[in-house]
Amino acid sequence: MRDRYVKQLEQLRREVLDMGMLCGKIIVSTYQMMFAKEHVKETGEMVLEMEEEIDRQERKIEGLCLRLLLLQQPVASDLRQVSAALKMITDLERIGDQAADIAEIIMTGKTAVLEEETELTGMAQTAVKMVNQSVEAYIDQNLGTARETIGLDDEMDGFFVRVRGQLVRRIARGEPDGEQALDLLMIAKYYERIGDHAVNVAEWAEFSVTGKHKGRQDPEDTPAKPEQPASVPFCGLAGNNRVLCF
């Protein structure tokens, strides 16, 4: 019985690693689509197939976690690892969804990348790095890697602010490619959200080691946040009549 339990835990780690690797691969594919001169449709279809596989992996891992919880009743660090995996796969599945959304924008619109190329490249590369590191932190039970991933969130936010500023200026100037700019802005927003989900994964990896999760702090342990000035959103009409606000 104990040998079977250990094998199930090892299988859980392998399945989470496989799901994380596929999430990294799907992000790379969306970036390749954006700059590809040909075979965009074929790559997009491959992205949609990978998104479906990520969904299947989520269901498979969820079933494995529930069997472990109900039949093996893990405790201590094992319980934290199973509980963390159950939470992490939700964020990994959403990463797949958002990558598929990026692919659909590229397949249905025109996303000519101009001055934003360097920043969007940075966003895609940082997103892949954050996803890979967050999953590795869980597999290796490495607090340093988890916290490094969480720290990359500021870098991702910085990329998005710069891309948004560049694209908004293009739209404000009334350039003829305004619709393309809105599509690129939506793609940048999806990359930023992928980064946010990677942070969530890293925080659950941290929980699997320490038993503490930032989202579950006691009020007395949470420092008061300074008041932030209200921001005025920028809204516009993107491809397929999508209304976007940032």
Side-chain angles (χ1 to χ4, degrees), residues 28-69:
V28 171
S29 296
T30 62
Y31 168 73
Q32 291 172 340
M33 285 180 68
M34 196 157 35
F35 296 99
K37 301 297 183 182
E38 54 186 17
H39 305 304
V40 174
K41 182 179 178 182
E42 291 85 347
T43 306
E45 290 172 350
M46 184 177 67
V47 167
L48 299 181
E49 290 174 1
M50 283 192 283
E51 190 269 333
E52 291 178 357
E53 177 60 24
I54 288 171
D55 288 346
R56 288 191 289 269
Q57 287 179 324
E58 181 197 24
R59 292 190 293 270
K60 182 178 180 181
I61 294 171
E62 182 181 48
L64 177 57
C65 287
L66 292 177
R67 288 195 298 275
L68 278 164
L69 290 171

Coordinates of all heavy atoms in Angstrom, one line a residue, residues 28-69:
V28 N 5.1 29.8 -26.4 CA 6.1 30.0 -27.5 C 5.4 29.9 -28.8 O 5.7 30.7 -29.8 CB 7.2 28.9 -27.4 CG1 8.1 28.9 -28.6 CG2 8.0 29.0 -26.1
S29 N 4.4 29.0 -29.0 CA 3.8 28.9 -30.3 C 3.0 30.2 -30.7 O 2.9 30.6 -31.8 CB 2.8 27.7 -30.3 OG 3.5 26.5 -30.2
T30 N 2.4 30.8 -29.7 CA 1.6 32.1 -29.9 C 2.6 33.2 -30.4 O 2.3 34.0 -31.3 CB 0.9 32.6 -28.7 OG1 1.8 32.9 -27.6 CG2 -0.1 31.5 -28.3
Y31 N 3.8 33.2 -29.8 CA 4.7 34.2 -30.2 C 5.2 34.0 -31.6 O 5.4 34.9 -32.4 CB 5.9 34.2 -29.2 CG 7.1 35.0 -29.7 CD1 7.1 36.4 -29.7 CD2 8.2 34.3 -30.1 CE1 8.2 37.1 -30.1 CE2 9.3 35.1 -30.6 CZ 9.3 36.4 -30.6 OH 10.4 37.2 -31.0
Q32 N 5.4 32.7 -31.9 CA 5.9 32.4 -33.3 C 4.8 32.7 -34.3 O 5.2 33.2 -35.4 CB 6.2 30.9 -33.4 CG 7.4 30.5 -32.6 CD 7.6 28.9 -32.5 OE1 6.7 28.2 -32.7 NE2 8.8 28.5 -32.2
M33 N 3.6 32.6 -34.0 CA 2.5 33.0 -34.9 C 2.5 34.5 -35.2 O 2.3 34.9 -36.3 CB 1.1 32.6 -34.2 CG 0.7 31.2 -34.2 SD -0.9 31.0 -33.5 CE -1.9 31.8 -34.7
M34 N 2.8 35.3 -34.2 CA 2.8 36.7 -34.3 C 3.8 37.2 -35.3 O 3.5 38.2 -36.0 CB 3.0 37.3 -32.9 CG 2.6 38.8 -32.8 SD 2.2 39.3 -31.1 CE 3.4 38.4 -30.2
F35 N 4.9 36.6 -35.4 CA 6.0 37.0 -36.3 C 6.1 36.2 -37.5 O 7.0 36.4 -38.4 CB 7.3 37.1 -35.5 CG 7.2 38.1 -34.4 CD1 7.0 37.7 -33.1 CD2 7.4 39.5 -34.7 CE1 7.0 38.6 -32.1 CE2 7.3 40.4 -33.6 CZ 7.1 40.0 -32.3
A36 N 5.3 35.1 -37.7 CA 5.4 34.2 -38.8 C 4.9 34.9 -40.1 O 4.0 35.6 -40.1 CB 4.6 32.9 -38.6
K37 N 5.6 34.6 -41.2 CA 5.2 35.0 -42.5 C 4.2 34.0 -43.2 O 3.5 34.4 -44.1 CB 6.4 35.3 -43.4 CG 7.4 36.3 -42.8 CD 6.8 37.7 -42.7 CE 7.8 38.7 -42.2 NZ 7.2 40.0 -42.0
E38 N 4.3 32.8 -42.7 CA 3.5 31.7 -43.3 C 3.2 30.7 -42.3 O 3.7 30.7 -41.2 CB 4.2 31.1 -44.6 CG 5.5 30.6 -44.3 CD 6.3 30.1 -45.5 OE1 5.9 30.5 -46.6 OE2 7.3 29.4 -45.4
H39 N 2.2 29.8 -42.7 CA 1.8 28.7 -41.8 C 1.2 29.2 -40.5 O 1.2 28.4 -39.5 CB 3.0 27.7 -41.5 CG 3.7 27.2 -42.7 ND1 3.0 26.5 -43.7 CD2 5.0 27.3 -43.1 CE1 3.9 26.1 -44.6 NE2 5.1 26.6 -44.3
V40 N 0.6 30.4 -40.5 CA 0.0 30.9 -39.3 C -1.2 30.1 -38.9 O -1.4 29.7 -37.7 CB -0.4 32.4 -39.5 CG1 -1.1 32.9 -38.3 CG2 0.9 33.2 -39.7
K41 N -2.0 29.8 -39.9 CA -3.3 29.0 -39.6 C -2.9 27.6 -39.0 O -3.5 27.2 -38.0 CB -4.1 28.8 -40.8 CG -5.4 28.1 -40.6 CD -6.2 28.0 -41.9 CE -7.5 27.2 -41.6 NZ -8.3 27.0 -42.9
E42 N -1.9 27.0 -39.6 CA -1.5 25.6 -39.1 C -1.0 25.7 -37.7 O -1.4 24.8 -36.8 CB -0.5 25.0 -40.0 CG -0.9 24.7 -41.4 CD -0.9 25.8 -42.4 OE1 -0.8 27.0 -41.9 OE2 -1.0 25.6 -43.6
T43 N -0.2 26.7 -37.4 CA 0.3 26.9 -36.0 C -0.8 27.2 -35.1 O -0.9 26.7 -33.9 CB 1.4 28.0 -36.0 OG1 2.4 27.7 -36.9 CG2 2.0 28.1 -34.6
G44 N -1.8 28.0 -35.5 CA -2.9 28.3 -34.7 C -3.8 27.1 -34.3 O -4.2 27.0 -33.2
E45 N -4.0 26.3 -35.3 CA -4.7 25.0 -35.1 C -4.0 24.1 -34.1 O -4.6 23.5 -33.3 CB -5.0 24.3 -36.4 CG -6.0 25.0 -37.3 CD -6.1 24.4 -38.7 OE1 -5.2 23.6 -39.0 OE2 -7.0 24.8 -39.4
M46 N -2.6 24.1 -34.2 CA -1.8 23.3 -33.3 C -2.0 23.9 -31.8 O -2.1 23.1 -30.9 CB -0.4 23.4 -33.7 CG 0.6 22.5 -32.8 SD 2.3 22.5 -33.4 CE 2.7 24.2 -33.1
V47 N -2.0 25.2 -31.7 CA -2.2 25.9 -30.4 C -3.6 25.4 -29.8 O -3.7 25.1 -28.6 CB -2.2 27.4 -30.5 CG1 -2.7 28.1 -29.3 CG2 -0.7 27.8 -30.8
L48 N -4.6 25.4 -30.6 CA -5.9 25.0 -30.1 C -6.0 23.6 -29.7 O -6.6 23.2 -28.7 CB -7.0 25.3 -31.2 CG -7.2 26.8 -31.6 CD1 -8.3 26.9 -32.7 CD2 -7.4 27.7 -30.4
E49 N -5.2 22.7 -30.4 CA -5.1 21.3 -30.0 C -4.4 21.2 -28.7 O -4.8 20.4 -27.8 CB -4.4 20.5 -31.1 CG -5.2 20.4 -32.4 CD -4.4 19.7 -33.5 OE1 -3.3 19.4 -33.3 OE2 -5.0 19.5 -34.6
M50 N -3.3 22.0 -28.5 CA -2.6 21.9 -27.3 C -3.5 22.4 -26.1 O -3.4 21.9 -25.0 CB -1.3 22.8 -27.3 CG -0.2 22.2 -28.1 SD 1.4 23.0 -27.9 CE 1.1 24.4 -29.0
E51 N -4.3 23.4 -26.4 CA -5.2 23.9 -25.3 C -6.2 22.8 -24.9 O -6.5 22.7 -23.7 CB -6.0 25.1 -25.9 CG -6.8 25.9 -24.8 CD -8.2 25.4 -24.7 OE1 -8.7 24.9 -25.6 OE2 -8.8 25.5 -23.6
E52 N -6.7 22.0 -25.8 CA -7.5 20.9 -25.5 C -6.8 19.9 -24.7 O -7.4 19.3 -23.7 CB -8.1 20.3 -26.8 CG -9.1 21.2 -27.5 CD -9.6 20.6 -28.8 OE1 -9.2 19.5 -29.1 OE2 -10.5 21.3 -29.4
E53 N -5.5 19.6 -25.0 CA -4.7 18.7 -24.3 C -4.5 19.2 -22.8 O -4.5 18.4 -21.9 CB -3.4 18.4 -25.0 CG -2.4 17.5 -24.2 CD -3.0 16.1 -24.0 OE1 -3.9 15.7 -24.7 OE2 -2.5 15.5 -23.0
I54 N -4.3 20.5 -22.7 CA -4.1 21.0 -21.3 C -5.4 20.8 -20.5 O -5.3 20.5 -19.3 CB -3.8 22.5 -21.4 CG1 -2.3 22.7 -22.0 CG2 -3.9 23.2 -20.1 CD1 -1.9 24.1 -22.3
D55 N -6.5 21.0 -21.2 CA -7.8 20.7 -20.5 C -7.9 19.3 -20.0 O -8.3 19.0 -18.9 CB -9.0 21.0 -21.4 CG -9.2 22.5 -21.6 OD1 -8.6 23.3 -20.9 OD2 -9.9 22.9 -22.5
R56 N -7.5 18.4 -20.9 CA -7.5 16.9 -20.5 C -6.5 16.7 -19.4 O -6.9 15.9 -18.4 CB -7.2 16.1 -21.7 CG -8.3 16.0 -22.8 CD -8.0 14.9 -23.8 NE -6.9 15.3 -24.7 CZ -7.0 16.0 -25.8 NH1 -8.2 16.3 -26.2 NH2 -6.0 16.2 -26.6
Q57 N -5.4 17.3 -19.4 CA -4.4 17.1 -18.3 C -5.0 17.6 -17.0 O -4.7 17.0 -15.9 CB -3.1 17.8 -18.7 CG -2.3 17.1 -19.8 CD -1.0 17.8 -20.1 OE1 -0.9 19.0 -20.1 NE2 0.0 17.1 -20.4
E58 N -5.7 18.7 -17.0 CA -6.3 19.3 -15.8 C -7.2 18.3 -15.2 O -7.2 18.0 -14.0 CB -7.0 20.6 -16.1 CG -7.6 21.2 -14.8 CD -8.6 22.2 -15.1 OE1 -9.3 22.2 -16.2 OE2 -8.9 23.1 -14.2
R59 N -8.1 17.7 -16.0 CA -9.1 16.7 -15.5 C -8.4 15.5 -15.0 O -8.8 14.9 -13.9 CB -10.0 16.3 -16.6 CG -11.0 17.5 -17.0 CD -12.1 17.0 -17.9 NE -11.6 16.5 -19.2 CZ -11.5 17.3 -20.3 NH1 -11.8 18.6 -20.2 NH2 -11.1 16.8 -21.4
K60 N -7.3 15.0 -15.7 CA -6.6 13.9 -15.2 C -5.9 14.1 -13.9 O -6.0 13.2 -13.0 CB -5.5 13.5 -16.3 CG -4.7 12.2 -16.0 CD -3.8 11.9 -17.1 CE -2.9 10.7 -16.8 NZ -2.0 10.4 -17.9
I61 N -5.2 15.2 -13.7 CA -4.5 15.6 -12.5 C -5.5 15.8 -11.3 O -5.3 15.3 -10.2 CB -3.6 16.8 -12.6 CG1 -2.5 16.5 -13.6 CG2 -3.1 17.2 -11.3 CD1 -1.7 17.7 -14.0
E62 N -6.7 16.4 -11.7 CA -7.7 16.6 -10.6 C -8.2 15.3 -10.1 O -8.3 15.1 -8.9 CB -8.9 17.4 -11.2 CG -10.0 17.7 -10.3 CD -11.1 18.5 -10.9 OE1 -11.5 18.1 -12.0 OE2 -11.6 19.5 -10.3
G63 N -8.4 14.3 -11.0 CA -8.9 13.0 -10.6 C -7.8 12.3 -9.7 O -8.2 11.7 -8.7
L64 N -6.5 12.4 -10.1 CA -5.5 11.8 -9.3 C -5.4 12.4 -7.9 O -5.2 11.7 -6.9 CB -4.1 12.0 -10.1 CG -2.9 11.5 -9.3 CD1 -3.0 10.0 -9.0 CD2 -1.7 11.7 -10.2
C65 N -5.5 13.8 -7.8 CA -5.5 14.4 -6.5 C -6.6 14.0 -5.7 O -6.4 13.7 -4.5 CB -5.5 16.0 -6.7 SG -4.0 16.7 -7.4
L66 N -7.8 13.9 -6.2 CA -9.0 13.5 -5.4 C -8.8 12.1 -4.9 O -9.2 11.8 -3.8 CB -10.3 13.7 -6.3 CG -10.6 15.1 -6.6 CD1 -11.9 15.2 -7.5 CD2 -10.9 15.9 -5.3
R67 N -8.3 11.2 -5.8 CA -8.1 9.8 -5.3 C -7.1 9.8 -4.2 O -7.2 9.0 -3.2 CB -7.6 8.9 -6.5 CG -8.7 8.6 -7.5 CD -8.3 7.5 -8.4 NE -7.1 7.8 -9.2 CZ -7.1 8.5 -10.4 NH1 -8.2 8.9 -10.9 NH2 -6.0 8.7 -11.0
L68 N -6.0 10.6 -4.3 CA -5.0 10.6 -3.2 C -5.6 11.1 -1.9 O -5.4 10.6 -0.8 CB -3.9 11.5 -3.6 CG -2.8 10.8 -4.5 CD1 -1.9 11.9 -5.2 CD2 -1.9 9.9 -3.7
L69 N -6.4 12.2 -2.0 CA -7.0 12.7 -0.8 C -8.1 11.8 -0.2 O -8.1 11.7 1.0 CB -7.7 14.1 -1.2 CG -6.8 15.2 -1.5 CD1 -7.6 16.4 -2.1 CD2 -6.0 15.7 -0.3

